[in-house]
Amino acid sequence: QVQLVESGGGLVQAGGSLRLSCAASGRTFSSSAMGWFRQAPGKEREFVAGINWSGGSTHYADSVKGRFTISRDNAKNTVYLQMNSLKPEDTADYYCAASRYYARVVLTGYDYWGQGTQVTVSS
């Protein structure tokens, strides 16, 4: 079992930056693929970024490539999402997710979810 708690959301102006953190509990964190997703009001949840167990492989949605960076610190059981050059269209609830079965980067197949943290980007 893995429990995930996100933090770091807030209100920022367009062009600004935020760093989201996701603290995980559970012995399997260091062997699990991790991901960030987001859901804007009235829209479906979408994949934002994923990272493999070691942090050596990452994958990003085209909409955030070059602006967002996912990373992890297995010693701290934490995964991060550094968000730069934020745009109003990045406004959403952001969720951290962990895979029970996959160690490599995956876009789907996540089993554990955090409660979400809200990001609002003003124009």
Side-chain angles (χ1 to χ4, degrees):
Q1 188 76 9
V2 176
Q3 293 183 326
L4 305 171
V5 179
E6 302 97 335
S7 62
L11 174 64
V12 63
Q13 289 188 334
S17 299
L18 283 174
R19 188 175 83 154
L20 305 183
S21 299
C22 173
S25 63
R27 294 180 297 172
T28 62
F29 173 82
S30 61
S31 62
S32 300
M34 301 292 295
W36 285 96
F37 290 74
R38 67 187 182 186
Q39 186 168 20
K43 295 187 177 181
E44 294 187 352
R45 185 172 61 193
E46 64 175 355
F47 173 85
V48 174
I51 190 166
N52 76 331
W53 69 277
S54 68
S57 179
T58 58
H59 185 79
Y60 297 92
D62 288 342
S63 59
V64 307
K65 201 171 294 183
R67 300 188 297 122
F68 290 11
T69 302
I70 188 172
S71 61
R72 66 190 297 162
D73 185 340
N74 285 345
K76 296 182 178 180
N77 276 14
T78 302
V79 64
Y80 304 97
L81 185 68
Q82 178 66 44
M83 304 186 295
N84 298 330
S85 302
L86 282 161
K87 305 175 181 179
E89 51 263 44
D90 294 318
T91 295
D93 290 327
Y94 283 72
Y95 298 89
C96 173
S99 175
R100 181 177 181 183
Y101 297 108
Y102 295 104
R104 60 180 172 85
V105 177
V106 290
L107 277 66
T108 61
Y110 290 91
D111 306 283
Y112 305 106
W113 296 84
Q115 83 290 349
T117 187
Q118 188 173 56
V119 172
T120 303
V121 184
S122 63
S123 57

